[in-house]
Amino acid sequence: MKIDILTLFPNMFTGVLNESILKKAQEKQAVSINVVNFREFADNRHQTVDDYPYGGGAGMVLKPQPIFDAVAHLTKENDARIILLCPQGERYTQKKAEELAKESHLILICGHYEGYDERIREHLVTDEISIGDYVLTGGELGAMVIVDSVVRLLPGVLGNEASSVHDSFSSGLLEHPQYTRPADFRGLKVPEVLLSGNHRLIDEWRQKESLRRTFLRRPDLLAQSELTDKQKKWLEEFQKNER
């Protein structure tokens, strides 16, 4: 996969892209990540990328020309999924991350100032994404979130391929509780079933606890999940215990 990030603040990405999983993914050549300062594509002497909004109002608006030209330069050889980081965009989810992970080329556009010229939104991008209902100074942090969540899904990136499958939200539910050594830490003991060696019982316990945790912490997710008959019975049990 190839990922291009258009930003006015490329140094913000230095630490994030050169540590942990993202660093290893690039070393394995599972992904190529290129950070581009789109100011370099401005067609004026002072490399101005923003201007006052028509009709007046507070703040400055990003001009279309530098971003259009930067995208054209990056898509000379192939098409790309072009993503605008924007508070008006679609709420980002694990399902969206899985969708984007199937693409061969992503371009992420990080906004700044008051917003984008509307022609960028209407005639250039394929997706608008928001990572949450709050406002950040720019789209850089959102782009980092998307890159991290997508890259870890690429084949060969994680040491254990099952890790991403069992993550919270991958199944539509929150992940089950996890434990490690020691089995007894200051009187706090690991559930016996996890020490039993019975993988069928362990798997059932994990499924049930995943459902319980989702019911208690994110019940809104249950409305979107297709539950098995067994899970429905467990859910009824949890609901009765809450009364």
Side-chain angles (χ1 to χ4, degrees):
M1 172 181 277
K2 180 181 180 182
I3 300 178
D4 292 304
I5 304 169
L6 298 184
T7 175
L8 294 174
F9 301 95
N11 290 339
M12 289 182 67
F13 292 88
T14 302
V16 172
L17 300 182
N18 291 285
E19 298 288 347
S20 188
I21 294 297
L22 292 180
K23 179 182 178 181
K24 293 177 181 177
Q26 292 173 85
E27 290 174 344
K28 292 178 179 179
Q29 298 184 337
V31 64
S32 170
I33 305 176
N34 180 36
V35 182
V36 178
N37 187 340
F38 63 84
R39 188 181 297 279
E40 296 174 3
F41 290 86
D43 63 358
N44 59 85
R45 186 178 62 180
H46 299 292
Q47 293 190 308
T48 304
V49 296
D50 61 324
D51 210 333
Y52 295 102
Y54 280 121
M60 305 289 278
V61 175
L62 286 171
K63 300 170 65 174
Q65 178 273 317
I67 294 177
F68 267 79
D69 285 359
V71 169
H73 175 76
L74 296 170
T75 55
K76 281 180 180 178
E77 298 180 358
N78 60 286
D79 294 329
R81 194 85 171 258
I82 304 168
I83 300 166
L84 195 69
L85 278 299
C86 172
Q88 301 175 31
E90 169 190 354
R91 179 83 69 87
Y92 193 58
T93 62
Q94 183 65 21
K95 183 178 180 180
K96 190 71 173 182
E98 292 167 359
E99 176 188 326
L100 296 178
K102 297 175 183 177
E103 300 288 340
S104 60
H105 187 190
L106 301 177
I107 296 177
L108 307 180
I109 304 174
C110 305
H112 224 73
Y113 310 119
E114 188 62 26
Y116 305 94
D117 183 291
E118 190 67 14
R119 289 164 290 190
I120 297 171
R121 191 190 311 277
E122 292 184 345
H123 302 288
L124 182 64
V125 305
T126 59
D127 301 79
E128 295 180 52
I129 291 178
S130 166
I131 62 168
D133 294 340
Y134 45 85
V135 179
L136 299 171
T137 304
E140 284 76 15
L141 295 177
M144 294 174 197
V145 168
I146 292 174
V147 170
D148 185 272
S149 62
V150 167
V151 169
R152 68 191 309 278
L153 297 175
L154 300 179
V157 169
L158 296 182
N160 184 343
E161 293 299 323
S163 295
S164 62
V165 176
H166 296 294
D167 284 339
S168 291
F169 305 111
S170 292
S171 65
L173 303 176
L174 300 183
E175 188 178 20
H176 55 77
Q178 298 275 17
Y179 296 88
T180 189
R181 294 180 178 84
D184 185 335
F185 174 68
R186 299 177 183 176
L188 306 173
K189 298 182 179 180
V190 171
E192 287 295 329
V193 65
L194 298 180
L195 307 176
S196 69
N198 188 321
H199 295 292
R200 183 186 64 79
L201 291 179
I202 290 172
D203 183 61
E204 185 173 272
W205 179 87
R206 286 174 169 169
Q207 289 184 44
K208 188 173 184 179
E209 292 306 308
S210 175
L211 183 64
R212 187 199 307 276
R213 180 158 287 187
T214 306
F215 169 70
L216 294 174
R217 301 186 181 191
R218 289 292 305 276
D220 56 298
L221 295 176
L222 296 175
Q224 309 165 30
S225 301
E226 295 183 9
L227 302 180
T228 64
D229 290 340
K230 180 180 287 188
Q231 288 175 318
K232 289 176 182 177
K233 289 181 180 179
W234 289 339
L235 185 58
E236 290 176 3
E237 176 187 321
F238 303 153
Q239 291 169 337
K240 287 179 181 178
N241 292 335
E242 282 291 297
R243 292 170 188 163

